Amino acid sequence: MSVISITDVLAGKFPVNEEITVHGWIRTRRDSKAGISFLAIHDGSCFDAIQAVVPNDLNNYDEEVLKLTTGCSVKVTGTLVESQGQGQAFEIQATGVEVLGYVEDPDTYPMAAKRHSIEFLREQAHLRARTNLGGAVTRVRNTLAQAIHRFFHEKGYFWIATPLITASDCEGAGEMFRVSTLDMENLPRTDKGEVDYSEDFFGKEAFLTVSGQLNVETYCSALSKVYTFGPTFRAENSNTSRHLAEFWMVEPEIAFADLSDAADLAEDMLKYVLKALLEERADDMAFFQQRVDKTVIDRLKALISTDFVRMDYTDAIEILENCDKKFENPVSWGIDLNSEHERYLAEEHVGAPIILQNYPKDIKAFYMRLNEDGKTVAAMDILAPGIGEIIGGAQREERLDVLDARLSEMDLDPADYSWYRDLRRYGTVPHAGFGLGFERLIAYATGIANVRDVIPFPRTPNNAAF
Amino acid sequence: MSVISITDVLAGKFPVNEEITVHGWIRTRRDSKAGISFLAIHDGSCFDAIQAVVPNDLNNYDEEVLKLTTGCSVKVTGTLVESQGQGQAFEIQATGVEVLGYVEDPDTYPMAAKRHSIEFLREQAHLRARTNLGGAVTRVRNTLAQAIHRFFHEKGYFWIATPLITASDCEGAGEMFRVSTLDMENLPRTDKGEVDYSEDFFGKEAFLTVSGQLNVETYCSALSKVYTFGPTFRAENSNTSRHLAEFWMVEPEIAFADLSDAADLAEDMLKYVLKALLEERADDMAFFQQRVDKTVIDRLKALISTDFVRMDYTDAIEILENCDKKFENPVSWGIDLNSEHERYLAEEHVGAPIILQNYPKDIKAFYMRLNEDGKTVAAMDILAPGIGEIIGGAQREERLDVLDARLSEMDLDPADYSWYRDLRRYGTVPHAGFGLGFERLIAYATGIANVRDVIPFPRTPNNAAF
């Protein structure tokens, strides 16, 4: 077979008045009194279905065509013609309809042609890509992923596959899942009666990574411009619309760079990928605009055309302290900002994305570079109107003595960081990077409220279905 | 800072006789009797280093420049000039050398400028990207990954992130790692005294996936052309040069397609990505040719320009039975072919890549489509000269009754496959796909013998270091 995609047919890539064959699933069937059926055929290659006009003189019209329901799979042959009616520019005057697969018991088919709640679709994760919403999310997700790879590739960054299974004790960015092949009903024990991980697959305790950053720094210290784009795990019992136990993260790391370079890169990347989205998936974005978030396209256009505002944490605290707004969480220098603060700054005070930088060292990780003031570190968060924090990054501490002092201050054992310290012992360089939660980007780009609806099979507390 | 890449300098993208600044690490320093030092400066952006010619009248010449050793990081400013000597076309007449980081105790620096065994480098995985070999592997890996995404994107395939954590009982393609947050020293128990997984993070037993195929079939049944490219796990205690506990896999899945379509796609994909590699990474490939495998470039060129030969398993058995070659493992219809058989077929009998197809059903998975003969399934393996099997694929069983009969034959419970069966109940379509182990592709493309040397931080039995 050599199957053509409906997106190419609708884009006018095939000659009219010639024969064409398409494959897909029935979205709807409508029968006219004149004895003609209209089939909307969808193959997922774009938002729209193509219409096939089926005359009742086909020899399987009564026995098969009239039994077609939403979700049935078909192969339709006919003449491609310009459409007379509204909607698409082209349609097919069918001369043959071959049924590939019926829907067993159409009355109970979960994806029947009606609106489904987003929660119901989540429970039908194996079928939800068949809906308008599920298809549009998938195409947008793909477009953003491709644009991310393209952006970094064009700029000379190398994609690095950092490991997911880790036995390092040095991440500490969140609760971790254990990875093991020990027989749980019959655990090996040491002399002291503790679980004997020397018998485990990796010869020691192993976990799923919470970030590729520390690992990718090793490659940054050799190839200068690198990024990860891979899965990441958090075993936090967070049942929120912004958390997943398994999610994808983008983490670029740049050598010979400071915080400002990382901020520039983040701003460029966001603009590049969202611009690609608006250009390449206008069909799906129109759907999100209509059905999910009336402001989504304007919001993305504004972000693309606006210079991000850079603001120091200390200045932000002053703004928050002196504004008229009453916050639930009190503001003072040293606090970690809450969503209400971030949104006030981005949405009300500035009205543009903010790169908030130079946070108090006590609320940030050990590897962030200490500033001259001795109180703050070269960290940044990017806050976008409508969502709050979307990117977090930092310049890394490249000075071995300062890093060691920070480790000691935080009661961390330098021995656990020996390979990370090596990067500072051998030709250390200033470097910086950031992390972008891919699902949060998709949620932001589509207006979808819950990250569970922008990943094919979400993993959350008490749920690893499918 | 706005850092330029040495690859762009060597490619002639900057004007000669003007000032330029590069950043990188010292590969070597050579001092002439005339009081000039030659620094080879490398930033990982390409295989080659750029030479900086440093006169002894720089004010930090004695104190700093003469202390530079392999691995030190520097910022060098000077005039870009056409090179008089052999090697690169351009070099820098330095007017300033700023040392960013020295190497602590150069005598013990693990990556000193000499040849290291590949096994030694594996133990220094956090530093090995600094070597010629490590850098070349990383750039090749990136080029192949980018080409894979580009190939599928250009052909209208959507990238799908199938889940890594799975609670499905239906994979059965290999031994799995358990994923858990239970307190191992204090496991919760049911009334019967068994471990109580209802208390675990996902409310039931969960594992790391061995393949995204079953999950991606759900998206194929909605969007027609999809692929995965993500990590996969096998908890097999295999200490071989071809096995990793954590590796990356590419798994396209095409709707309205049969085995032949999947074979075409696999052939097209391999040729596309290897052609991109030869074109985009000529520098690194020349290195592999010189140092690792004298035949590698010819081998890739041959693969790109040769039509793959399609052969039925049954015919292959006949060839093997009737050839003069003595095999260690006896040949008869029904056996799973060994590497010696595969290599004989590809290297000696045909002398070209072979797509071997229609295997006995008893040695293949339940989901592969039963052929008319009732004995074989529409499965394929692609065997390449020089490596053997590189891709495995199949047309999937889309007929519910046949699938159910196969499940029953193999003593598998249909209830465990309810969502997979739904795809056959609701608008089933013929579909097919394949899996490519990404590290095996890189090994094949570089001539590197062990997959542990083509992934940044390999995970194998008793090793999850870094």
Side-chain angles (χ1 to χ4, degrees):
Chain A
M1 307 179 212
S2 179
V3 169
I4 61 176
S5 289
I6 288 170
T7 188
D8 290 334
V9 180
L10 293 178
K13 293 189 183 171
F14 294 90
V16 290
N17 301 323
E18 294 196 11
E19 184 173 89
I20 198 164
T21 297
V22 298
H23 298 71
W25 291 267
I26 301 293
R27 272 285 165 82
T28 55
R29 190 195 89 231
R30 190 163 54 80
D31 309 314
S32 80
K33 288 183 182 153
I36 293 175
S37 289
F38 301 92
L39 303 177
I41 301 161
H42 193 263
D43 69 356
S45 62
C46 57
F47 184 82
D48 290 309
I50 193 166
Q51 176 164 281
V53 183
V54 186
N56 63 3
D57 58 4
L58 290 195
N59 53 22
N60 65 341
Y61 184 80
D62 291 330
E63 295 73 22
E64 299 192 324
V65 175
L66 287 181
K67 287 185 189 146
L68 289 172
T69 57
T70 301
C72 292
S73 49
V74 293
K75 173 180 174 180
V76 173
T77 299
T79 308
L80 183 67
V81 297
E82 286 179 21
S83 183
Q84 302 306 312
Q86 292 213 326
Q88 300 310 318
F90 302 97
E91 62 185 29
I92 295 172
Q93 295 284 356
T95 54
V97 175
E98 183 186 332
V99 181
L100 301 173
Y102 285 104
V103 164
E104 191 185 293
D105 191 5
D107 292 340
T108 63
Y109 178 49
M111 298 293 111
K114 60 168 192 171
R115 268 184 138 170
H116 305 282
S117 78
I118 208 161
E119 291 79 14
F120 172 79
L121 291 175
R122 212 179 286 156
E123 284 163 19
Q124 305 288 332
H126 63 313
L127 301 173
R128 67 176 168 171
R130 301 176 176 209
T131 63
N132 278 332
L133 186 76
V137 165
T138 306
R139 288 184 294 273
V140 164
R141 188 179 167 102
N142 172 69
T143 297
L144 289 171
Q146 302 286 352
I148 286 167
H149 282 299
R150 208 164 58 232
F151 171 79
F152 286 113
H153 189 52
E154 287 172 0
K155 286 189 170 284
Y157 285 70
F158 302 111
W159 172 72
I160 308 295
T162 46
L164 305 192
I165 296 173
T166 175
S168 277
D169 296 322
C170 56
E171 303 200 347
E175 291 181 62
M176 294 169 90
F177 290 102
R178 176 187 308 283
V179 175
S180 173
T181 56
L182 291 180
D183 178 357
M184 296 285 272
E185 297 292 354
N186 197 6
L187 291 171
R189 300 276 172 184
T190 63
D191 294 347
K192 293 183 182 169
E194 291 166 349
V195 174
D196 185 2
Y197 292 106
S198 73
E199 300 274 309
D200 208 345
F201 189 90
F202 297 107
K204 57 192 296 196
E205 285 192 85
F207 301 92
L208 289 177
T209 187
V210 296
S211 163
Q213 180 208 314
L214 302 192
N215 286 100
V216 91
E217 282 187 54
T218 67
Y219 273 70
C220 177
S221 301
L223 296 161
S224 301
K225 297 196 288 186
V226 295
Y227 73 107
T228 73
F229 187 0
T232 313
F233 304 87
R234 299 279 160 92
E236 283 158 32
N237 201 354
S238 301
N239 265 305
T240 82
S241 62
R242 285 170 62 83
H243 290 88
L244 291 165
E246 173 183 326
F247 59 101
W248 284 67
M249 191 131 84
V250 180
E251 296 179 293
E253 193 75 28
I254 340 166
F256 313 107
D258 59 17
L259 184 65
S260 172
D261 297 313
D264 287 343
L265 186 71
E267 181 172 349
D268 288 351
M269 184 201 69
L270 283 177
K271 289 178 174 177
Y272 179 100
V273 303
L274 294 173
K275 190 157 173 284
L277 176 62
L278 291 178
E279 284 168 7
E280 295 170 27
R281 290 260 58 104
D283 57 348
D284 294 317
M285 290 310 296
F287 168 78
F288 288 118
Q289 170 98 350
Q290 194 197 343
R291 288 291 180 84
V292 176
D293 176 355
K294 301 274 179 245
T295 70
V296 65
I297 292 177
D298 285 345
R299 188 155 47 75
L300 300 187
K301 283 185 177 166
L303 185 139
I304 291 165
S305 61
T306 310
D307 286 339
F308 291 14
V309 172
R310 304 196 184 195
M311 182 187 289
D312 267 17
Y313 169 91
T314 300
D315 296 332
I317 291 293
E318 204 168 294
I319 290 164
L320 292 169
E321 281 178 332
N322 296 323
C323 75
D324 293 334
K325 187 112 175 173
K326 286 278 159 267
F327 297 109
E328 283 185 36
N329 302 281
V331 174
S332 66
W333 198 96
I335 66 160
D336 211 352
L337 297 184
N338 281 87
S339 176
E340 57 173 339
H341 310 132
E342 294 176 347
R343 297 189 70 150
Y344 173 80
L345 291 167
E347 288 163 25
E348 297 185 48
H349 186 81
V350 172
I354 300 181
I355 301 174
L356 204 59
Q357 52 196 17
N358 300 318
Y359 283 79
K361 67 174 180 173
D362 292 340
I363 58 170
K364 290 290 180 183
F366 74 90
Y367 52 74
M368 298 188 178
R369 192 177 195 278
L370 192 64
N371 287 324
E372 293 291 308
D373 61 17
K375 295 191 307 180
T376 61
V377 288
M380 68 163 177
D381 283 345
I382 299 188
L383 317 176
I387 192 167
E389 186 202 324
I390 190 165
I391 279 178
Q395 183 169 348
R396 319 308 183 183
E397 185 55 76
E398 89 282 11
R399 299 162 297 185
L400 184 62
D401 54 339
V402 184
L403 181 71
D404 281 346
R406 283 283 282 158
L407 286 171
S408 159
E409 217 174 275
M410 296 173 87
D411 267 336
L412 298 168
D413 183 357
D416 290 339
Y417 299 84
S418 64
W419 58 266
Y420 191 71
R421 293 178 70 254
D422 275 358
L423 305 180
R424 281 72 183 166
R425 293 171 64 210
Y426 302 135
T428 192
V429 297
H431 61 293
F434 64 83
L436 166 74
F438 186 51
E439 282 72 24
R440 290 191 184 174
L441 175 67
I442 304 167
Y444 178 70
T446 57
I448 288 176
N450 195 316
V451 288
R452 298 174 196 208
D453 303 314
V454 301
I455 191 166
F457 298 95
R459 270 69 181 105
T460 52
N462 287 307
N463 179 35
F466 308 101
Chain B
M1 309 179 210
S2 180
V3 170
I4 62 176
S5 289
I6 288 169
T7 188
D8 291 333
V9 180
L10 294 179
K13 292 189 184 172
F14 293 90
V16 289
N17 301 323
E18 295 196 9
E19 184 172 271
I20 198 164
T21 298
V22 298
H23 297 70
W25 291 267
I26 302 293
R27 270 287 163 83
T28 55
R29 190 196 87 229
R30 190 163 54 81
D31 308 315
S32 81
K33 289 182 182 154
I36 293 175
S37 289
F38 301 91
L39 304 177
I41 301 161
H42 194 263
D43 69 356
S45 62
C46 57
F47 184 82
D48 290 309
I50 193 165
Q51 174 165 282
V53 183
V54 186
N56 63 3
D57 58 4
L58 290 195
N59 52 22
N60 64 341
Y61 184 80
D62 291 329
E63 295 74 22
E64 299 192 323
V65 174
L66 286 181
K67 287 184 188 147
L68 288 173
T69 57
T70 300
C72 292
S73 48
V74 292
K75 173 180 174 181
V76 173
T77 299
T79 308
L80 183 67
V81 296
E82 286 178 21
S83 184
Q84 302 305 313
Q86 291 213 328
Q88 300 311 317
F90 302 97
E91 61 185 29
I92 296 173
Q93 295 284 357
T95 53
V97 175
E98 183 186 332
V99 181
L100 302 173
Y102 285 103
V103 164
E104 192 184 293
D105 190 7
D107 292 340
T108 63
Y109 178 49
M111 298 294 112
K114 59 168 191 173
R115 268 186 140 171
H116 305 282
S117 79
I118 208 162
E119 292 77 15
F120 172 79
L121 290 176
R122 210 179 286 156
E123 284 164 19
Q124 305 287 333
H126 63 311
L127 301 173
R128 65 176 169 172
R130 300 175 177 209
T131 63
N132 277 331
L133 186 76
V137 165
T138 306
R139 286 183 295 271
V140 164
R141 187 178 168 104
N142 172 69
T143 297
L144 289 171
Q146 302 286 352
I148 286 167
H149 282 300
R150 208 164 58 231
F151 171 80
F152 286 114
H153 188 51
E154 286 172 0
K155 286 190 169 283
Y157 285 69
F158 301 111
W159 172 71
I160 308 294
T162 46
L164 304 194
I165 296 173
T166 175
S168 277
D169 297 321
C170 55
E171 304 199 349
E175 290 180 64
M176 295 168 90
F177 289 103
R178 177 187 306 285
V179 174
S180 172
T181 55
L182 290 180
D183 178 356
M184 297 283 274
E185 297 294 354
N186 195 6
L187 291 171
R189 300 278 173 182
T190 63
D191 293 347
K192 291 181 181 170
E194 292 165 347
V195 175
D196 185 1
Y197 293 106
S198 73
E199 301 275 312
D200 209 344
F201 188 91
F202 296 108
K204 57 193 296 197
E205 284 192 87
F207 301 92
L208 289 177
T209 188
V210 296
S211 161
Q213 180 208 315
L214 302 192
N215 285 101
V216 89
E217 282 188 52
T218 66
Y219 273 71
C220 178
S221 300
L223 296 162
S224 300
K225 296 197 289 187
V226 294
Y227 73 107
T228 73
F229 187 0
T232 313
F233 304 87
R234 299 281 160 89
E236 281 157 33
N237 201 354
S238 300
N239 266 306
T240 83
S241 63
R242 286 170 61 83
H243 290 88
L244 291 165
E246 173 183 326
F247 59 102
W248 285 66
M249 191 132 83
V250 180
E251 297 179 293
E253 193 73 30
I254 340 165
F256 314 107
D258 59 18
L259 184 65
S260 171
D261 297 313
D264 288 343
L265 186 72
E267 181 172 348
D268 289 350
M269 184 200 69
L270 283 177
K271 290 178 173 176
Y272 179 100
V273 303
L274 294 174
K275 190 157 174 286
L277 176 62
L278 291 179
E279 285 169 5
E280 296 171 25
R281 290 260 57 104
D283 57 348
D284 295 316
M285 291 309 298
F287 169 78
F288 289 118
Q289 170 97 351
Q290 194 196 343
R291 289 289 180 87
V292 177
D293 176 355
K294 301 273 180 245
T295 70
V296 64
I297 291 177
D298 286 346
R299 188 156 45 76
L300 299 188
K301 282 185 177 165
L303 185 139
I304 291 165
S305 62
T306 311
D307 286 338
F308 292 13
V309 173
R310 305 197 184 196
M311 182 187 287
D312 266 17
Y313 168 91
T314 300
D315 296 332
I317 292 293
E318 207 167 290
I319 290 164
L320 293 169
E321 281 177 332
N322 296 324
C323 76
D324 292 334
K325 186 112 177 173
K326 286 280 160 267
F327 297 109
E328 284 185 35
N329 302 281
V331 174
S332 66
W333 199 97
I335 65 159
D336 210 351
L337 296 184
N338 281 88
S339 175
E340 57 173 339
H341 309 132
E342 294 176 347
R343 297 189 70 149
Y344 173 80
L345 291 168
E347 288 162 24
E348 297 186 47
H349 186 80
V350 174
I354 301 182
I355 300 174
L356 204 59
Q357 51 196 18
N358 299 318
Y359 283 80
K361 67 174 180 174
D362 292 339
I363 58 171
K364 290 290 181 185
F366 74 90
Y367 52 73
M368 298 188 177
R369 192 178 194 278
L370 192 65
N371 287 325
E372 293 292 308
D373 61 18
K375 295 193 305 180
T376 60
V377 288
M380 67 163 179
D381 282 345
I382 300 190
L383 316 176
I387 190 165
E389 186 202 325
I390 190 166
I391 278 179
Q395 184 170 348
R396 320 307 184 184
E397 185 55 76
E398 88 281 13
R399 299 160 298 185
L400 185 62
D401 55 339
V402 184
L403 181 71
D404 281 346
R406 283 282 283 158
L407 286 172
S408 159
E409 218 174 272
M410 298 175 85
D411 267 335
L412 298 168
D413 183 355
D416 290 338
Y417 299 84
S418 64
W419 59 266
Y420 192 70
R421 293 178 70 254
D422 275 358
L423 307 180
R424 281 71 184 167
R425 294 169 65 209
Y426 302 135
T428 192
V429 296
H431 61 293
F434 65 83
L436 166 74
F438 185 51
E439 282 73 23
R440 290 192 183 173
L441 174 69
I442 304 168
Y444 178 72
T446 57
I448 289 178
N450 194 317
V451 288
R452 297 174 198 207
D453 302 315
V454 301
I455 190 168
F457 298 95
R459 271 70 182 103
T460 53
N462 287 309
N463 178 35
F466 307 101

